[in-house]
Amino acid sequence: MTKPTIKDVAKMANVSISTVSRVMNSPESVIENKRNQVLAAIEKLKYKPNALARGLIYKKTNTLGVVIPDIRNPYYADIIRGMEDASKKLGYNLIICNTDRDKKRLFSYLHNFYERQVDGILYTSDPIYPDYYHELNRLKIPVMLVSTHSMEYELPSVKINDEQAAYDAVKFLIDSGHRKIGMIGFDLTDSIAGLTRYHGFIRALREHDLDECKNNIVYVNGWSYDTPDAAAKLMEKCPDVSAIFTVSDELAMGLLCYLHEQKISVPEQISVIGFDNIRLSDIMIPKLTTVAQPTYEIGYRSVEKLDAAIEGRDDPILREYLPHEIIVRASTKSLD
Amino acid sequence: MTKPTIKDVAKMANVSISTVSRVMNSPESVIENKRNQVLAAIEKLKYKPNALARGLIYKKTNTLGVVIPDIRNPYYADIIRGMEDASKKLGYNLIICNTDRDKKRLFSYLHNFYERQVDGILYTSDPIYPDYYHELNRLKIPVMLVSTHSMEYELPSVKINDEQAAYDAVKFLIDSGHRKIGMIGFDLTDSIAGLTRYHGFIRALREHDLDECKNNIVYVNGWSYDTPDAAAKLMEKCPDVSAIFTVSDELAMGLLCYLHEQKISVPEQISVIGFDNIRLSDIMIPKLTTVAQPTYEIGYRSVEKLDAAIEGRDDPILREYLPHEIIVRASTKSLD
């Protein structure tokens, strides 16, 4: 089942591996007799000089490495689709690695990318901690931050403005007449999707004299598995909320499930707004009002931008922010 | 930003690339003077002989290539988690490629796997057509079929018994007293999840004298985006069904959404059973009764089995079937 390697060619031609390599790379440096033996062996074994060999010779492997924190989260699916379409257009292959938010696993994949000489790395969604930065920097491979950014380091990025998007979601609820608003958020140690969206929530409250809502928050550290619990905690903490902002659509789905079980009807008794606009948000019960991230475009644009970096083209915008949008469906209602 | 290549080393040491390669592979074949120049350049540039070079010399790259048909489908997420955990245990890295069920894209990734000399390929979920088989065969790389199999070709595989699982789902409905049963199925051209589950449905009907239900079927060619339409068609075709079997949980989610909009209550008026037991099935409204596939185990076992093939260990079972299970939640009720 194994295919012929350079070793097999060397053995059949009765020469050293480096001679085979020289025949492929600089045939003029090998005497004719040996060269013919090697070529005959290559022919006979149908040995094919491959991308590995070419990667050694040319600088490009036409491959981009993608690290994502959790393949189970459907949010990444559309980003990856965007990355793939741009990669196809620009002649790259994508290799996707799932880090499970595990630092060891991340570093192991980064090391693997280095060894495989990927042309660039798409680092998705997680914050850049100092040791991550040093590791990425050490590799000397162009990096693009996708759906994350870094204010500390000079790394290019593509994402939405999370603070503004959360602000807009909460302002939408306020503009719909809600005055008692709660939030299920990501832990504040998550500087990308946790702290920023919290800030947006707080700013919307403050600008509308609703500071009394600022403690109506429950934090989760993961995704929807925790949601029914988080929802229960939130309803215990502030049973009189008329609207809840959740920082992901999966959290919203868990919340809808919990409220349904408690016989609290959405949106009649409580309005729910999600975040992301994953595909399934359109078949939830009720259909989910949410903040649409341009996920496909984030993926697509990040590959275009990374390609520019790889090719050394000028890219005037270091940290790029794409527009978000409120999608109004059936899970929210106006109190006015 | 680019890291030093063998070319840079050659240039700095003022020797040919093949000489650098010989210094790394068989230093004794290079005269001391030149050898020292090369070693000094390697040291100075911090050039690191890499996986590509090693892949040329050793037979193993410790990398497995995964092709999946649609990364947006959450069914694959748990399979990949299983694959990753087994890969970690056995010392492999996974590179994941999304084919979008596009033959050209699939072949391009297979070719890429060949060029990168992956140790094995995990071919997930799609049927093996003759031209696919010939392409796979031509690569001479061990292949494992995951959540698919082939009766025509001698390829190892890991999946559930789809016909039996569908039979068990429908029998569960029949045992709960349902006599008017409908189905939303995958197109019969899909020999893995379409035809087999159709056969299971038909067998359960026949064994229980319910042949009159055998045309209560609507087929979809994709996933839940089509479901509200498919659900509407099914309800028009056979408005008196008391239970519906859908061949995926996402299809079930779309069906639940449609029935909710039509004010048909589940399970009071219609019972719904899904297939797969994706993570979200536990937070649907109502929580979904479904056929659990051991997705994580399928992924895990497929890597173990592929590793055995790569290492040439004996594996007595060519086509391996893992057990499925009916998970009873709130979307079905007994009529008795």
Side-chain angles (χ1 to χ4, degrees), chain B residues 59-90:
Chain B
K59 284 198 174 178
K60 274 193 93 173
T61 54
N62 293 315
T63 304
L64 305 177
V66 184
V67 279
I68 59 172
D70 182 2
I71 199 163
R72 291 173 304 183
N73 188 333
Y75 170 68
Y76 301 111
D78 286 323
I79 290 188
I80 289 169
R81 294 305 302 267
M83 288 178 177
E84 282 204 323
D85 287 351
S87 295
K88 207 174 171 186
K89 182 186 73 170
L90 296 165

Side-chain angles (χ1 to χ4, degrees), chain A residues 41-298:
Chain A
I42 286 175
E43 176 66 25
K44 193 157 184 186
L45 289 169
K46 303 211 181 309
Y47 173 70
K48 198 175 157 194
N50 56 49
L52 304 195
R54 269 183 271 135
L56 281 172
I57 299 162
Y58 307 109
K59 282 197 174 176
K60 274 193 91 170
T61 54
N62 294 314
T63 304
L64 304 177
V66 184
V67 279
I68 60 172
D70 183 1
I71 199 163
R72 290 172 304 182
N73 188 332
Y75 170 69
Y76 301 112
D78 286 323
I79 290 188
I80 289 169
R81 293 305 303 264
M83 287 177 177
E84 282 203 323
D85 287 350
S87 295
K88 209 174 170 186
K89 181 186 75 171
L90 296 166
Y92 294 102
N93 281 295
L94 283 187
I95 62 184
I96 302 162
C97 301
N98 177 41
T99 65
D100 202 20
R101 294 209 153 87
D102 179 274
K103 181 174 146 181
K104 257 178 74 180
R105 208 182 259 209
L106 169 68
F107 280 29
S108 155
Y109 277 125
L110 291 179
H111 192 73
N112 192 258
F113 287 160
Y114 177 82
E115 294 208 323
R116 286 175 190 286
Q117 305 192 334
V118 300
D119 296 330
I121 293 175
L122 295 151
Y123 177 95
T124 306
S125 196
D126 268 0
I128 295 288
Y129 303 107
D131 51 342
Y132 289 22
Y133 175 73
H134 292 304
E135 188 66 18
L136 286 168
N137 202 34
R138 207 175 63 79
L139 300 179
K140 306 227 172 300
I141 299 174
V143 174
M144 184 63 47
L145 306 185
V146 187
S147 201
T148 179
H149 68 177
S150 169
M151 300 319 282
E152 297 90 343
Y153 306 113
E154 294 288 299
L155 290 169
S157 55
V158 183
K159 70 190 277 287
I160 59 163
N161 181 332
D162 282 273
E163 194 271 349
Q164 184 65 44
Y167 173 90
D168 290 345
V170 179
K171 186 167 186 310
F172 170 80
L173 297 174
I174 296 170
D175 288 348
S176 303
H178 295 279
R179 293 291 173 270
K180 300 194 168 182
I181 300 173
M183 169 172 169
I184 299 178
F186 292 131
D187 208 276
L188 299 185
T189 54
D190 173 353
S191 62
I192 302 304
L195 196 61
T196 50
R197 296 179 194 175
Y198 167 78
H199 281 151
F201 176 73
I202 294 297
R203 177 162 68 92
L205 296 180
R206 189 183 320 114
E207 290 186 8
H208 297 85
D209 290 323
L210 296 172
D211 272 351
E212 69 270 19
C213 296
K214 73 172 195 275
N215 292 317
N216 294 351
I217 308 182
V218 167
Y219 299 100
V220 297
N221 202 354
W223 86 307
S224 54
Y225 264 165
D226 308 328
T227 332
D229 281 355
K233 265 187 228 160
L234 185 69
M235 295 309 292
E236 196 187 340
K237 199 170 180 179
C238 38
D240 59 345
V241 292
S242 70
I244 299 172
F245 165 50
T246 67
V247 294
S248 83
D249 287 348
E250 295 196 307
L251 286 169
M253 186 168 163
L255 173 62
L256 293 176
C257 177
Y258 172 79
L259 294 174
H260 175 78
E261 285 187 339
Q262 299 299 311
K263 306 205 187 308
I264 298 170
S265 62
V266 176
E268 290 74 13
Q269 291 169 273
I270 292 187
S271 287
V272 173
I273 185 167
F275 202 105
D276 288 343
N277 197 32
I278 60 171
R279 247 172 17 146
L280 296 171
S281 59
D282 197 32
I283 53 172
M284 290 184 192
I285 298 174
K287 295 184 181 189
L288 189 68
T289 296
T290 190
V291 180
Q293 291 209 47
T295 36
Y296 178 89
E297 290 75 14
I298 288 173

Side-chain angles (χ1 to χ4, degrees), chain B residues 178-207:
Chain B
H178 294 280
R179 292 292 172 269
K180 302 196 167 178
I181 300 172
M183 168 173 171
I184 299 178
F186 292 131
D187 207 276
L188 300 184
T189 54
D190 173 354
S191 62
I192 303 304
L195 196 62
T196 49
R197 296 178 194 175
Y198 167 78
H199 282 151
F201 177 72
I202 294 297
R203 176 160 70 93
L205 295 180
R206 189 184 318 115
E207 289 186 8

Side-chain angles (χ1 to χ4, degrees), chain A residues 18-19 21-23 25-32 35, chain B residues 16 18-19 22:
Chain A
S18 63
T19 300
S21 164
R22 280 160 61 212
V23 168
N25 300 331
S26 52
E28 70 292 347
S29 73
V30 182
I31 58 167
E32 198 180 341
R35 191 166 69 216
Chain B
S16 71
S18 63
T19 300
R22 280 160 61 211

Side-chain angles (χ1 to χ4, degrees), chain B residues 197-262:
Chain B
R197 296 178 194 175
Y198 167 78
H199 282 151
F201 177 72
I202 294 297
R203 176 160 70 93
L205 295 180
R206 189 184 318 115
E207 289 186 8
H208 297 84
D209 291 323
L210 295 173
D211 272 350
E212 69 271 18
C213 296
K214 73 173 195 277
N215 293 317
N216 294 351
I217 308 182
V218 167
Y219 299 100
V220 296
N221 202 353
W223 86 307
S224 54
Y225 264 166
D226 308 328
T227 333
D229 281 355
K233 266 187 227 160
L234 185 69
M235 295 308 292
E236 196 188 339
K237 199 171 181 178
C238 38
D240 59 345
V241 292
S242 71
I244 299 173
F245 165 50
T246 69
V247 295
S248 83
D249 288 348
E250 295 198 306
L251 286 169
M253 186 168 163
L255 173 62
L256 293 177
C257 178
Y258 173 81
L259 294 174
H260 175 77
E261 285 187 338
Q262 299 299 312

